[in-house]
Amino acid sequence: MPANRIAEHVEANRTRFLDELKNLIAIPSVSTLPEHDADVRRAADFLVGQLREQVGMPRVELIETAGHPLVYAEAMDVPGKPTVLIYGHYDVQPADPFELWRTPPFEPTVDGDDVRGRGAVDDKGPMFATLKALETLMQTEGKLPVNVRVLIEGEEESGGASIAEYVKSHGGALQADCVLVLDTAMIEKNMPTISYGLRGIVYAEIIARGAGHDLHSGVYGGIAPNPLQALAWVLSDLKGRDGRINLPELYKMMQPLTDDERAALARQSELQEAGFLTAGGLKELPGEANYSIAERASARPTFEVHGVCGGFTGEGAKTVIPAEATAKVSLRLVPNQTPDAVFKLLAKRVAELSVPGVTMEVRDLHGGDAVLLSLESSALKAAATALETEFGKSVTYAREGGSIPVVALFDEVLHAPVVMLGFGLPDDNLHAPNEKFYIPNYYAAIRTVANFLTLL
Ligand code: BES
Ligand code: ZN
């Protein structure tokens, strides 16, 4: 039985597998901050080394791009067997605010059943589990049961522009019968979850400019425009207190959900509500009335402000009218709302809301399409079997609120069914201080992926 051999191998190597993951988490591969460019490359080199020496893939390459490198590997030596493309990302979100971490974000720390560190769950733990699954199969069976391509990007957390470019121009070289993605979550601990949807995103920066330089607020107060105030008006006009985004066309673009889908999401909401409250440290979950929690968190568009900057924020008081103010914002999108079209709606609305004496520039930082996958593929069935064997429970199918920009391209360009297996937990703090990965899920992911590939 390969499943037994797989489990035994994982058991015999559990300490080394965890130590290697910690070595990867220790590399601060923050893709959006230029000061970490060398670290991002170091993480890519680490994976190249792993794929060559530990996994033993016959072909391993670092692919240069206009941004951060891609890591590619393949073992295409079982003719007649299907080909699986395994995707993941080795970059991470910025770790600030640093003072809120219980242990430094890039000094991975085991705490009970968790390993804590930036990127532990998103996506270093789950992604690295796929490599350890390949290694386990190579060492227990001597070869892989299917043909495998591995493609790992270093820009997912900053929009994924380079992998998008690569998939569009090299789609032929990535031919696969299915794509495996480990970068999503379980809806609850011990509830094996396959995700069939992701939201899209458009991320923008709004820059408001007033006077040519900062002004004395006594001399100019009452006569000069204030770009920070103007920005606040624009931001509050973009979304009402009822949660409705003031871009009416946005809602016209989306496909309405069927009654069955809405009812299923409402049922799932009951299960998820307590988890959202505790994991988020929240007292309530406000948002659009008449939509369930799960629907609002995965099947409705959103508008969020991520940061506002401008004027005097130091200690004490300074009486100044700032010359400039900026805001970082994004909209999460659902199918049929394309990032380009939605960016245009946003830019047009901001222009309409403009204030005398203040110019507003809206910059498009990145975007990605939403995905909604069919549940019919045989790859998905094999994945469900592998998960059910591992957890001894039937699989839950979920739509995710988060985004993985390249997944829509896998669907459109490669025409291959995508399988997204979740190993994150609701309280893993992704993108937040004290991010962690539940270690039992690391080993579960390794075994599940190895068994999935065997079942194919
Ligand atoms: N792993 C996440 C996506 C995700 C989050 C899936 C939560 C399921 C649940 C991914 O790495 C991510 O965070 N993506 C970014 C993409 C963006 C920066 C383009 C996101 O969703 O913010
Ligand atoms: Zn992320």
Side-chain angles (χ1 to χ4, degrees), residues 78-311:
V78 278
K81 299 283 181 182
T83 300
V84 182
L85 172 65
I86 299 178
Y87 163 83
H89 65 93
Y90 66 82
D91 64 320
V92 302
Q93 287 269 324
D96 62 292
F98 289 90
E99 67 280 10
L100 296 184
W101 284 80
R102 283 199 288 280
T103 45
F106 299 108
E107 290 174 25
T109 307
V110 173
D111 184 352
D113 277 339
D114 297 320
V115 55
R116 182 166 56 239
R118 170 55 87 234
V121 68
D122 186 10
D123 175 33
K124 286 176 172 172
M127 174 273 289
F128 200 62
T130 65
L131 306 198
K132 295 296 111 179
L134 295 176
E135 178 186 318
T136 297
L137 287 167
M138 288 283 206
Q139 295 192 358
T140 54
E141 311 300 310
K143 64 174 171 47
L144 300 179
V146 288
N147 298 299
V148 170
R149 302 181 195 277
V150 176
L151 184 62
I152 310 172
E153 70 164 313
E155 270 174 43
E156 196 273 348
E157 298 291 5
S158 47
S162 296
I163 196 172
E165 181 59 37
Y166 187 80
V167 171
K168 285 184 202 154
S169 57
H170 293 74
L174 293 173
Q175 170 281 322
D177 298 292
C178 77
V179 182
L180 178 66
V181 178
L182 267 68
D183 190 22
T184 56
M186 298 179 138
I187 74 167
E188 272 299 320
K189 195 187 253 184
N190 290 320
M191 281 192 68
T193 307
I194 294 184
S195 296
Y196 66 95
L198 294 168
R199 282 195 284 204
I201 188 168
V202 54
Y203 197 110
E205 184 169 33
I206 307 174
I207 306 160
R209 295 188 180 91
H213 50 78
D214 287 1
L215 301 171
H216 187 295
S217 70
V219 178
Y220 280 93
I223 58 171
N226 185 321
L228 197 42
Q229 175 73 67
L231 190 62
W233 284 328
V234 167
L235 294 176
S236 59
D237 272 333
L238 282 168
K239 188 165 87 176
R241 291 187 181 216
D242 56 1
R244 187 125 184 125
I245 303 162
N246 286 322
L247 300 171
E249 296 91 334
L250 183 71
Y251 295 100
K252 291 188 195 134
M253 293 160 85
M254 66 188 278
Q255 288 253 348
L257 263 61
T258 64
D259 290 345
D260 283 354
E261 280 173 299
R262 294 199 72 194
L265 287 170
R267 282 194 299 278
Q268 197 184 304
S269 298
E270 288 164 28
L271 241 143
Q272 286 184 289
E273 181 168 7
F276 274 128
L277 287 168
T278 39
L282 293 165
K283 292 199 176 58
E284 47 192 302
L285 301 171
E288 289 177 290
N290 304 325
Y291 295 93
S292 69
I293 290 164
E295 184 166 356
R296 281 191 267 135
S298 68
R300 298 286 295 165
T302 68
F303 172 80
E304 294 299 340
V305 183
H306 305 295
V308 178
C309 178

